[in-house]
Amino acid sequence: MSDIRDTLMTVIGQMQAEAEDTSFPEAGSDFRGKCILLVEDNELNSEITVEILNGYGCQVDTAENGAEAVEKIKNSKPGNYDLVLMDVQMPVMDGYAATRKIRALDDPARAKLPILAMTANAFDEDRRNALESGMNGFLSKPIVIGDLVQELRKIL
C-alpha cells in the first residue's frame, strides 16, 4: 500500500508542478506600470483576479460595486487607471449603470476609460447589453487567463 501511495503522491506532485508551469500562459506578456480598477463584489473572485493581474505586473485597485467604482474614477487623476474590469451583476449599482455613469463624466479622459465586462452569463444578449452600456469588451467568468491576456494586449 505504501508503494501505491508513494507512486500516487509522485504523480500528483508532477501534475501539480506541470499545472504551476502553465498557470500563467504567455508569461512573456508584461503589463508592468499599468493600473487596473477591478470592480467585483465576490471576495474570492476578486482575490483570484488580483493575483492573476499581479502575476502579469499590473497594479490593481478594487471596488466592491459600481457606485464605489464611479466614485474612485471621479476622484482619480486623469490617466490613473488604464482599464476597468467591471463585474456586471453587483449590489448597490450594477456594471451597466456604473459604465453609463462613467461614460457621462465631464472629463473626457475619465469618460473614455476602457471598460471590460465580466460576467458568468455569456449569452449574446449579455454581450449586446455590455456594448450598449458603453463597455469596450467582454470576458466570461470564471476568467480564462488566455482570454484576459488577449484583451489586455488589445487595450494596454
Side-chain angles (χ1 to χ4, degrees):
M1 290 297 266
S2 64
D3 288 340
I4 293 172
R5 181 186 177 283
D6 291 343
T7 303
L8 288 173
M9 293 307 287
T10 301
V11 170
I12 290 171
Q14 287 175 348
M15 283 199 252
Q16 287 175 341
E18 289 173 9
E20 288 172 11
D21 291 343
T22 61
S23 43
F24 288 103
E26 305 175 57
S29 298
D30 185 3
F31 302 105
R32 274 184 264 183
K34 301 299 181 182
C35 187
I36 296 175
L37 177 59
L38 173 64
V39 189
E40 172 65 66
D41 65 316
N42 180 291
E43 188 176 342
L44 181 59
N45 288 347
S46 182
E47 287 177 20
I48 292 168
T49 306
V50 167
E51 286 301 314
I52 292 169
L53 292 168
N54 286 163
Y56 286 101
C58 298
Q59 297 173 5
V60 184
D61 190 11
T62 60
E64 293 182 8
N65 60 62
E68 186 179 337
V70 171
E71 284 305 308
K72 283 190 172 204
I73 291 168
K74 279 170 60 171
N75 296 323
S76 70
K77 294 178 184 175
N80 189 44
Y81 296 114
D82 297 294
L83 171 68
V84 178
L85 291 176
M86 181 80 72
D87 187 12
V88 171
Q89 297 178 354
M90 295 178 290
V92 182
M93 181 186 294
D94 69 28
Y96 301 131
T99 298
R100 286 189 288 274
K101 285 192 175 274
I102 292 166
R103 295 296 182 234
L105 293 174
D106 290 334
D107 178 17
R110 290 183 188 105
K112 292 184 180 187
L113 184 63
I115 301 172
L116 289 178
M118 297 186 309
T119 183
N121 299 327
F123 300 110
D124 288 339
E125 180 181 347
D126 299 303
R127 290 178 189 271
R128 188 172 45 253
N129 288 340
L131 297 174
E132 286 174 359
S133 70
M135 295 180 179
N136 301 87
F138 188 92
L139 290 168
S140 60
K141 292 194 310 188
I143 297 293
V144 175
I145 296 173
D147 294 347
L148 174 63
V149 169
Q150 182 179 352
E151 290 298 322
L152 292 177
R153 282 186 176 160
K154 280 185 207 173
I155 294 172
L156 302 178

